[in-house]
Amino acid sequence: MTTGFKTGIAGLIVALATGTGALAQDLTLKLGHLANEQNSWHKAALRFGEEVKARTDGRIVVEVYPNDSLGREIDLINGMQLGTVEMTITGESLQNWAPMASLLALPYAYQTLEEMDAVASGEIGDQIEAQIVERAQVRPLAYFARGPRNLTANRAITTPDELQRMRMRVPNVPLFVDTWTALGALPTPMAFSEVFTSLQNGTIAGQENPLALIQTASFNEVQSHVNMTEHVRSWIYLAIAEQVWSQLDEADQAHLIEAARIAQEFEREQFLADEDAIRADLEAKGMTFVEVDKAAFAEKARQPVIDSVDAEIRPTVEELFAR
């Protein structure tokens, strides 16, 4: 249990004894994530912390830990459930607890940012968040956009047939494993922090991520091609442990929600400004961008995606593809 969370509990005890607000004592929220300091998620997390501190007169402080320095994504989620971590930025990995979280990163389900926003901020998005709270004990406060995921390798790959059982890293997400297996690759779940070294030593021959993470992880040093599969357009949540959230009084919950709203708007501005600049930077560093037969990838992935999702959300997936 972290010092911040212990302090929060102590504050609650004092509050109950004195009849004052639920957080009479200071509270530190440790927020760990996988991106580095240049990533828009990190910048938005810092903005969130600034807003929380200002709105609570410094009673609640957010400490941000990038680069997996507080732990890997799955470890942080486990820590949030156990009470040892307060916050993280996480997305489709939550499907290990809440099947609807797979909709955050459903291959070839959202062709544009606008389509994605309509789902994330609509009724389906509300259902996803409710299930995450109930089953993962993690509460989304805001969501950040993610650029389309693209496949990097040391060669051009324009059709699924050209994958040729290439060993590639994917996140620890069953749907990703099943989809890339169906496309003809050999997907290998691996923590993000291990990917660079594994590409460098040849343990894997490729990986897939948004351009922002390709850039910030310096994959250009160990991969020559960005194959523009754009196979997943997705979002990711700024989230707090439900047991921490439940200790906050309504006023402080409102402060965090408003701070998260501002951080979400800030991140979107950063994201849109960054995408073109990131591609230009990667090209300047020697990466070749390859146009692929997206229709061929999408067609081959469609049924395996539908078959791979949990039975309870399959009707929703079929509805999304029918659109």
Side-chain angles (χ1 to χ4, degrees):
M1 185 175 292
T2 66
T3 301
F5 189 61
K6 288 180 180 177
T7 304
I9 294 176
L12 180 60
I13 293 171
V14 171
L16 293 174
T18 62
T20 59
L23 281 178
Q25 301 291 319
D26 291 347
L27 174 64
T28 298
L29 303 176
K30 291 186 176 181
L31 195 170
H33 65 83
L34 61 80
N36 77 2
E37 292 86 346
Q38 284 71 53
N39 191 277
S40 62
W41 302 347
H42 179 70
K43 296 174 184 176
L46 293 177
R47 180 62 183 273
F48 171 74
E50 293 169 359
E51 293 292 332
V52 169
K53 184 176 181 179
R55 292 171 187 280
T56 63
D57 297 321
R59 291 182 297 104
I60 302 178
V61 175
V62 180
E63 295 180 353
V64 183
Y65 296 81
N67 300 307
D68 276 341
S69 57
L70 199 60
R72 299 170 183 170
E73 184 178 359
I74 294 294
D75 295 332
L76 291 176
I77 296 170
N78 286 326
M80 291 167 73
Q81 295 165 339
L82 295 171
T84 59
V85 179
E86 290 82 27
M87 297 190 70
T88 194
I89 298 173
T90 185
E92 62 273 6
S93 293
L94 289 164
Q95 71 182 270
N96 291 289
W97 295 269
M100 289 199 76
S102 63
L103 300 179
L104 271 69
L106 197 65
Y108 293 107
Y110 318 115
Q111 301 303 311
T112 67
L113 188 60
E114 290 73 22
E115 287 182 16
M116 185 205 79
D117 277 335
V119 174
S121 62
E123 182 180 351
I124 292 176
D126 291 342
Q127 293 172 2
I128 295 170
E129 294 180 21
Q131 189 178 90
I132 291 171
V133 172
E134 177 188 357
R135 301 192 187 184
Q137 291 297 294
V138 170
R139 178 172 291 270
L141 296 179
Y143 74 88
F144 299 154
R146 309 179 80 171
R149 299 180 79 96
N150 292 296
L151 174 65
T152 69
N154 287 319
R155 59 186 172 92
I157 299 171
T158 61
T159 69
D161 291 342
E162 294 172 0
L163 284 166
Q164 300 171 347
R165 295 181 64 77
M166 181 183 76
R167 189 172 297 279
M168 58 177 287
R169 178 267 179 180
V170 295
N172 186 22
V173 176
L175 177 58
F176 281 22
V177 174
D178 292 345
T179 299
W180 282 105
T181 299
L183 287 170
L186 290 174
T188 303
M190 181 183 298
F192 184 76
S193 57
E194 299 173 4
V195 178
F196 185 95
T197 301
S198 297
L199 289 168
Q200 191 174 45
N201 64 27
T203 302
I204 53 175
Q207 65 85 48
E208 47 81 59
N209 260 304
L211 295 184
L213 289 181
I214 293 170
Q215 180 199 46
T216 58
S218 299
F219 288 152
N220 57 282
E221 297 179 9
V222 288
Q223 298 271 265
S224 60
H225 289 67
V226 178
N227 299 290
M228 301 292 286
T229 50
E230 296 188 343
H231 50 280
V232 173
R233 190 179 298 274
S234 62
W235 69 96
I236 195 164
Y237 289 118
L238 173 67
I240 188 169
E242 181 64 11
Q243 61 176 291
V244 175
W245 179 258
S246 67
Q247 300 296 329
L248 300 171
D249 64 21
E250 290 184 4
D252 282 334
Q253 288 179 350
H255 290 321
L256 264 65
I257 289 172
E258 180 61 14
R261 183 191 66 78
I262 293 171
Q264 179 172 313
E265 291 181 354
F266 175 82
E267 193 279 337
R268 179 58 59 90
E269 293 172 0
Q270 291 285 310
F271 166 75
L272 293 174
D274 286 350
E275 282 293 282
D276 290 341
I278 290 170
R279 173 165 178 164
D281 178 66
L282 291 173
E283 288 178 324
K285 291 175 178 175
M287 295 199 87
T288 299
F289 280 70
V290 180
E291 293 299 324
V292 311
D293 187 345
K294 294 178 187 174
F297 276 93
E299 179 61 28
K300 195 165 185 178
R302 179 188 176 99
Q303 195 58 48
V305 168
I306 293 173
D307 293 341
S308 296
V309 299
D310 193 276
E312 71 176 279
I313 66 167
R314 196 164 295 153
T316 303
V317 172
E318 291 173 337
E319 176 189 341
L320 288 171
F321 276 119
R323 294 181 182 183

